[in-house]
């Protein structure tokens, strides 16, 4: 999907305008501008209606002056760090509980990364679960396998 979007941004998309009965070229630069539509808000984990804030859940954002201050600038990265912490938790034994705890403690739940988190948690459950009589797989080997899967999912 990423490659498809990159190609569309570079070369545009040719479409048919049925009203004027001619080919038109769609240019995707509008995807990268600030906006307030539901789909863009969903993809960006944005509140949508509260345009001064990046996220209603974690209250990242504020006035222009606040965001330009040292405290405001640092507050922007708290959300990114919270999401990164969730991915780190997904690579450990008992990931489901740890991820839910991370979400609950920070109030940050990124809908764009939720499916990746779920995939990692499910794979971790399968890798940690061993059948009777089978030797346990080392936690390091499981972590390496989960990291490889994470790279594939990105």
């Amino acid at each position: 999907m990423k490659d498809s979007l990159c190609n569309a941004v570079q070369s545009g998309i040719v479409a048919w305008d049925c009203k004027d009965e001619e080919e038109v070229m769609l240019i995707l630069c509008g995807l990268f501008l600030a906006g307030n539509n539901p789909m863009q808000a969903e993809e960006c984990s944005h509140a949508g209606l509260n345009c001064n804030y990046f996220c209603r859940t974690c209250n990242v954002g504020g006035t222009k002056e606040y965001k330009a201050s040292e405290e405001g600038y640092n507050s922007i990265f708290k959300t990114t760090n919270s999401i990164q912490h969730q991915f780190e938790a997904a690579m450990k034994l008992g990931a489901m509980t740890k991820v839910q705890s991370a979400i609950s403690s920070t109030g940050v739940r990124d809908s764009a990364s939720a499916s990746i988190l779920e995939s990692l948690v499910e794979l971790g459950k399968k890798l940690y679960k061993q059948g009777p009589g089978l030797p346990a797989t080392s936690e390091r080997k499981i972590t390496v396998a989960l990291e490889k899967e994470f790279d594939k999912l990105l």
Side-chain angles (χ1 to χ4, degrees):
M1 184 171 184
K2 180 183 171 186
D3 293 337
S4 182
L5 284 174
C6 289
N7 290 338
V9 167
Q10 289 175 355
S11 57
I13 298 172
V14 177
W16 181 256
D17 183 338
C18 61
K19 181 180 176 188
D20 293 329
E21 296 186 10
E22 64 183 1
E23 282 189 345
V24 295
M25 181 168 292
L26 305 175
I27 301 174
L28 300 180
C29 60
L31 288 174
F32 305 105
L33 301 174
N36 197 14
N37 68 62
M39 183 60 162
Q40 188 176 25
E42 178 70 21
E43 290 298 318
C44 298
S45 302
H46 188 276
L49 298 175
N50 198 359
C51 60
N52 276 340
Y53 289 87
F54 304 135
C55 178
R56 182 180 4 191
T57 304
C58 59
N59 296 319
V60 171
T63 64
K64 184 176 180 180
E65 293 79 22
Y66 175 74
K67 290 185 280 190
S69 72
E70 186 173 341
E71 180 186 0
Y73 181 80
N74 290 334
S75 74
I76 292 170
F77 296 101
K78 186 169 35 171
T79 300
T80 305
N81 290 338
S82 296
I83 295 168
Q84 183 177 356
H85 177 68
Q86 292 170 20
F87 279 111
E88 290 167 0
M91 310 255 183
K92 297 179 180 171
L93 181 63
M96 178 67 90
T97 305
K98 290 177 180 167
V99 170
Q100 288 300 333
S101 176
I103 291 170
S104 297
S105 67
T106 62
V108 175
R109 183 180 187 285
D110 181 33
S111 60
S113 63
S115 63
I116 297 172
L117 278 171
E118 289 171 17
S119 296
L120 291 174
V121 168
E122 290 304 313
L123 178 60
K125 284 180 185 178
K126 290 176 185 172
L127 293 173
Y128 278 109
K129 187 175 184 177
Q130 292 294 322
L134 295 174
T137 307
S138 74
E139 191 168 345
R140 181 69 194 136
K141 285 184 180 179
I142 293 172
T143 302
V144 168
L146 288 170
E147 288 171 352
K148 285 181 182 177
E149 183 66 17
F150 177 66
D151 288 339
K152 287 180 191 175
L153 292 170
L154 290 180

